[in-house]
Amino acid sequence: MFAEEKSDFKLSGFILKNIKINTEHLCAIQSTLRKDVLNPGVAVIESIFFPFVLSVVLIGALRPLASHLGLVDAPCIRKRHEGVVPLIGGLAVYSALLLLSFHAAFWQANHGAWLIALGLPLLLMGMADDRWDLSAKHRLMLELVCAVFAVWYCGVRISDIGVLVPGIGGTLVWLAVPLTVVGIVGGINAMNMTDGVDGLAGGLAVLTLSALAVAAYPMHSNVALQLASMVAALVGFLVFNSRFFGRKRAAVFMGDGGSIFIGFAIVWYLVTLSQGAGRVITPVSALWLFAVPLLDTVTIMFRRIARGNSPFAADREHLHHILMLAGFGVNRAVLIILSIHGLCILIGMGSIYYQIPDWVMFWLFLGLFGVYYGVMTHAWRWMKRIKSFREWAGFEDRRREATGEAGRSPRSGRRQASAQFQGNNRRKRTSRRTEQ
């Protein structure tokens, strides 16, 4: 662990040394660049280069402080990672954007500064939850306050849902405010719940924000630059969090503060870019751009409620858990989920380009949700079939050889998964008998 921390410090130092830059130089260069804000190259440097570098450097600087602040994640029954991991990724991403917002003119447009300001209490609440494990009620109250402020003061409001049924739909009146508040709070928790495996939440956010940046440019160039800077800061975080960059495990986690802030930002842009005369996406296409977190979270919450549990109760029945219990490694599970999410984004963007009617895309999305819910409801059955096929095809043997697990029984993963899901079924039957 200490060796990895030392190597990460070297990485941060290497970047600073080779680009000949430090905090003072960043401010000086940004001040110079701001004199020529019309230059597209300047905007690209401000929106991509600086947030990436700041994110990398801040992660390297904050890692040693994580243990002193109590912002570390230790393995337990529900969390299967190795070793104690700092929970400062979200803090670094937010801090990079905050520093950038002081100097970059594009963050002052379209209420961008208010997004950063409202993100601060959400970030601090998430960090407090990481440190002291706050109750779901307290978290929900602050999320509602920030959502209501965004709706009333910043104009982040769903006033038009599109035509969901031929001849029915359009502008909302008194439902606009409650629907938007529910959407913001739901999006926050959807992103938070997907943060369960290395590189997943950050990867999903990068795909969604990148699609929104493409859609926003050139009509809303300032918003596109805001989105690009968020993507760059998240990529800097993924250097330390994702295993696709050559790591055997994550060096830092995003933490609840980071996932809550990123979820809030994603819903903010989905709403603002899908409403009004200058909208660049449709309200229904916004569902497709946020498909995987939305589908997975709604399905999980419905299943928890059906069992009589709290919809916010933690478990190990998300899509990434199912794939890993079925025998896929972390990288392959993440790659599968990101591919599904990317395909949904392409469908959503394609519906905008080809002007497919909203009601067609809406009912297709409901159909997708029905399929997803059905598969996840019978997850154990599907998992057994996938695992049996992988063992028959020899994928499991090759994976064990690659990971040094040659002595492990081929059925050990199945027994572990069986215990997980059979335990849930026993609890469900017991609760039914109690009610009778």
Side-chain angles (χ1 to χ4, degrees):
M1 178 177 177
F2 291 108
E4 286 191 5
E5 287 187 1
K6 186 175 181 180
S7 64
D8 290 332
F9 274 120
K10 288 181 178 179
L11 173 62
S12 303
F14 176 79
I15 293 175
L16 288 178
K17 182 178 179 180
N18 283 270
I19 61 178
K20 305 296 183 183
I21 203 164
N22 55 29
T23 306
E24 293 181 358
H25 292 154
L26 280 171
C27 296
I29 293 174
Q30 282 187 327
S31 299
T32 303
L33 293 176
R34 281 167 59 86
K35 297 177 182 178
D36 190 17
V37 294
L38 297 178
N39 187 340
V42 171
V44 170
I45 292 175
E46 274 197 317
S47 63
I48 297 177
F49 179 74
F50 286 138
F52 173 80
V53 172
L54 285 171
S55 179
V56 169
V57 172
L58 286 168
I59 289 175
L62 290 171
R63 281 190 68 190
L65 302 176
S67 58
H68 298 289
L69 298 174
L71 295 175
V72 292
D73 201 10
C76 61
I77 295 176
R78 188 171 57 87
K79 302 175 181 180
R80 307 291 177 84
H81 59 269
E82 298 179 8
V84 177
V85 182
L87 294 165
I88 48 83
L91 175 61
V93 170
Y94 177 84
S95 300
L97 296 174
L98 178 63
L99 292 173
L100 183 65
S101 67
F102 291 148
H103 299 279
F106 57 81
W107 268 109
Q108 310 306 319
N110 301 87
H111 294 292
W114 274 113
L115 170 62
I116 299 296
L118 288 174
L120 181 58
L122 293 172
L123 174 77
L124 295 177
M125 178 196 67
M127 292 171 61
D129 187 36
D130 289 330
R131 179 65 178 84
W132 293 291
D133 195 16
L134 303 179
S135 68
K137 180 173 67 175
H138 292 145
R139 297 198 306 269
L140 183 61
M141 288 176 61
L142 183 58
E143 291 169 4
L144 286 171
V145 170
C146 291
V148 170
F149 191 92
V151 170
W152 282 108
Y153 190 83
C154 302
V156 181
R157 185 176 305 179
I158 302 174
S159 56
D160 184 1
I161 58 174
V163 180
L164 305 184
V165 178
I168 301 175
T171 304
L172 298 174
V173 185
W174 59 272
L175 282 176
V177 172
L179 181 62
T180 307
V181 171
V182 170
I184 292 175
V185 174
I188 289 172
N189 287 280
M191 182 53 63
N192 182 242
M193 290 183 181
T194 59
D195 189 19
V197 65
D198 298 346
L200 180 57
L204 291 171
V206 165
L207 290 178
T208 298
L209 293 171
S210 298
L212 288 171
V214 172
Y217 186 83
M219 183 177 291
H220 303 288
S221 57
N222 286 321
V223 174
L225 292 173
Q226 293 172 17
L227 290 161
S229 64
M230 295 191 73
V231 170
L234 282 168
V235 171
F237 158 72
L238 288 173
V239 170
F240 295 87
N241 178 254
S242 175
R243 302 189 186 189
F244 292 124
F245 288 89
R247 294 183 177 275
K248 294 183 179 179
R249 62 185 180 91
V252 296
F253 288 161
M254 183 178 289
D256 283 348
S259 59
I260 288 172
F261 167 66
I262 295 300
F264 178 71
I266 288 176
V267 180
W268 176 292
Y269 288 114
L270 286 173
V271 173
T272 55
L273 293 176
S274 65
Q275 303 296 310
R279 71 181 189 181
V280 292
I281 63 174
T282 63
V284 175
S285 66
L287 300 176
W288 289 92
L289 298 184
F290 198 53
V292 167
L294 185 60
L295 293 172
D296 192 56
T297 299
V298 174
T299 298
I300 288 294
M301 296 182 79
F302 279 1
R303 295 183 64 192
R304 290 171 182 171
I305 294 172
R307 293 196 203 103
N309 298 332
S310 167
F312 300 102
D315 57 31
R316 290 183 61 82
E317 296 186 19
H318 289 278
L319 178 58
H320 53 271
H321 293 135
I322 303 302
L323 290 174
M324 294 178 68
L325 289 173
F328 294 98
V330 171
N331 279 355
R332 290 182 180 178
V334 171
L335 184 60
I336 290 171
I337 297 173
L338 292 182
S339 299
I340 295 172
H341 190 57
L343 178 61
C344 290
I345 289 175
L346 289 177
I347 293 174
M349 297 293 282
S351 70
I352 300 169
Y353 183 79
Y354 292 105
Q355 298 182 354
I356 299 176
D358 286 345
W359 66 269
V360 173
M361 299 307 301
F362 176 71
W363 287 101
L364 281 177
F365 190 83
L366 285 186
L368 177 63
F369 172 72
V371 172
Y372 188 89
Y373 186 85
V375 171
M376 294 298 288
T377 301
H378 303 284
W380 168 236
R381 184 181 305 171
W382 286 96
M383 188 174 58
K384 286 197 298 183
R385 291 176 180 175
I386 294 173
K387 194 169 183 66
S388 297
F389 172 78
R390 288 176 60 82
E391 290 177 355
W392 172 80
F395 294 134
E396 288 295 293
D397 294 334
R398 288 196 288 271
R399 188 177 71 86
R400 280 191 293 273
E401 290 175 2
T403 57
E405 299 178 0
R408 184 178 176 183
S409 170
R411 298 182 179 271
S412 60
R414 181 183 294 183
R415 286 197 296 269
Q416 178 186 2
S418 177
Q420 167 76 18
F421 284 90
Q422 288 177 7
N424 291 333
N425 291 332
R426 282 195 298 271
R427 288 192 294 272
K428 187 175 180 179
R429 290 194 296 269
T430 302
S431 63
R432 285 178 178 174
R433 293 193 195 102
T434 304
E435 293 174 357
Q436 294 174 355

